Amino acid sequence: MGDPDTEDDNDWEDTRARKAFAVEAEHAGERLDRWLSDRLGASVSRSRLQTLIRAGAVTTGGNPVTETKHRVAEGEVYALAIPEAEPAEPKAEAIPLEVLYEDDALIVINKPAGLVVHPAPGNWSGTLVNALLHHCGASLSGIGGVRRPGIVHRLDRDTSGVMVVAKTDNAHRLLSETFADHGRSGDLERAYVALVWGAPERMAGTIDAPLGRHAQSRTLRAVVPAGRSDARHAVTRYQVQKRYGTDGSGKAFAAKVECRLETGRTHQIRVHIAHIGHPLIGDADYGRAFRTKVNRLPEDIRPTVAAFPRQALHARLLAFRHPETGDLMRFEADPPPDMMALTRALDIL
């Protein structure tokens, strides 16, 4: 939450080659990047290798090592996953878009769940970028980079809702500055609808907890100590809008919660809401331990909740200043049919 709105992650699931090397006694204490570079020779440049290390493509004992200056020890085995060569540039594809607003400077869309924002290993086609290149034509090409033309923020693949995309270099620069600043010195408002397991005891609150890489997964995030090297400041404000039913202990089965971002980190809402003990319904990554709660629901709604295929999160509101006119722009989108059906099922409780 993706936050949902950061663009600093790379995925290396689909690899062309995996190489592994053991550290010999005479090389103990060397920097990881230099030691691996010597093993690889000319097949991978030093700068490319450093990028791969930071992206989590190097592991030892199944755990990623993301520090290029990490010192290797005798007997350790390091594996490097080398990703597939990237296409020169994304191709335009005729993928339908729900356009909420469009002018010469920007386009606002209601992204459906299941649509990846930009091409990456394993998702070179069928993305929002492919759809935008077809819809906007040559005006979009090259703005903000070949792989992410016009993209200034992101929603996770399985998060639906409102997004803005720049169509000019000036709009891209100004919108990127707005999102990077998280609205601290300007007008930026982002609100999400979340359906969660249980309900926070307080009707409203603020989750201020730094996020970093998950210890067991390169692609997931976790709340980490503030002093850790990869810790990034993250703040989410929430307000409980409705509680659904009660279990045997008198606590709510579920709740509808509005979340507002003061920062925009990868998976931010998903990690923060799970951190306070109320993960999103359907979140297979951060709510896995709550799957059995479905079995405690009444039989008439159990199938609907159990079959919900994604995290129940929708970006319902996005407001910002138009980068060229200065007008305050405000866009809202109702949750999609799957979340509406889930809400109706919970209303029965």
Side-chain angles (χ1 to χ4, degrees), residues 8-330:
D8 57 353
D9 284 350
N10 295 296
D11 296 326
W12 308 107
E13 285 85 354
D14 295 344
T15 59
R16 179 181 59 203
R18 178 175 288 273
K19 300 179 182 291
F21 305 95
V23 181
E24 298 176 345
E26 60 266 33
H27 298 294
E30 292 184 8
R31 279 177 51 142
L32 175 62
D33 56 348
R34 292 174 182 170
W35 175 77
L36 270 180
S37 182
D38 290 341
R39 310 278 84 71
L40 294 166
S43 62
V44 179
S45 70
R46 178 79 172 275
S47 60
R48 173 65 167 153
L49 176 59
Q50 290 174 334
T51 298
L52 291 173
I53 292 172
R54 295 188 187 101
V58 175
T59 59
T60 182
N63 298 315
V65 182
T66 57
E67 293 293 331
T68 59
K69 296 180 181 180
H70 173 81
R71 301 292 176 172
V72 301
E74 180 183 358
E76 292 178 330
V77 177
Y78 290 85
L80 168 64
I82 303 176
E84 292 279 3
E86 300 178 4
E89 60 183 56
K91 303 297 183 183
E93 297 178 35
I95 300 170
L97 292 174
E98 182 182 346
V99 178
L100 303 179
Y101 174 84
E102 184 175 12
D103 60 24
D104 291 340
L106 55 84
I107 180 172
V108 180
I109 60 114
N110 183 17
K111 186 187 88 68
L115 183 64
V116 176
V117 170
H118 57 72
N123 291 290
W124 292 123
S125 63
T127 72
L128 175 61
V129 163
N130 299 110
L132 289 168
L133 289 171
H134 180 271
H135 179 88
C136 301
S139 65
L140 194 67
S141 297
I143 298 169
V146 172
R147 278 182 54 194
R148 302 172 182 178
I151 302 299
V152 295
H153 69 126
R154 189 183 75 182
L155 296 178
D156 290 341
R157 178 186 64 187
D158 289 330
T159 298
S160 55
V162 185
M163 281 188 65
V164 60
V165 177
K167 294 173 64 177
T168 68
D169 286 322
N170 185 57
H172 185 271
R173 178 179 61 82
L174 294 174
L175 285 172
S176 294
E177 290 173 357
T178 296
F179 278 89
D181 183 60
H182 308 299
R184 286 187 290 266
S185 59
D187 295 291
L188 178 65
E189 187 178 4
R190 292 172 289 176
Y192 295 72
V193 176
L195 296 174
V196 307
W197 286 115
E201 292 185 4
R202 298 172 56 191
M203 291 298 291
T206 299
I207 308 167
D208 186 345
L211 301 183
R213 291 191 179 274
H214 194 284
Q216 279 79 47
S217 173
R218 180 183 47 78
T219 59
L220 300 183
R221 295 295 180 269
V223 171
V224 300
R228 212 170 84 171
S229 61
D230 64 331
R232 303 185 71 185
H233 179 59
V235 179
T236 303
R237 290 184 289 115
Y238 71 85
Q239 182 169 6
V240 178
Q241 295 184 326
K242 186 173 184 178
R243 291 187 168 102
Y244 299 102
T246 54
D247 59 18
S249 64
K251 295 182 178 180
F253 266 118
K256 179 190 291 186
V257 179
E258 180 180 85
C259 296
R260 291 178 177 255
L261 296 175
E262 291 188 13
T263 57
R265 307 305 183 196
T266 299
H267 299 178
Q268 178 174 317
I269 290 174
R270 297 167 63 190
V271 178
H272 269 175
I273 209 73
H275 177 65
I276 64 171
H278 303 286
L280 297 169
I281 293 175
D283 194 332
D285 292 323
Y286 301 106
R288 188 181 303 272
F290 282 68
R291 287 179 176 177
T292 57
K293 290 181 72 72
V294 173
N295 299 326
R296 297 162 61 187
L297 294 171
E299 291 187 7
D300 53 346
I301 70 169
R302 193 179 302 163
T304 300
V305 180
F308 195 75
R310 64 181 181 95
Q311 65 262 12
L313 184 64
H314 173 73
R316 74 163 188 86
L317 167 68
L318 177 63
F320 57 90
R321 288 282 175 187
H322 193 288
E324 296 188 357
T325 68
D327 294 337
L328 183 61
M329 314 289 285
R330 186 181 181 89

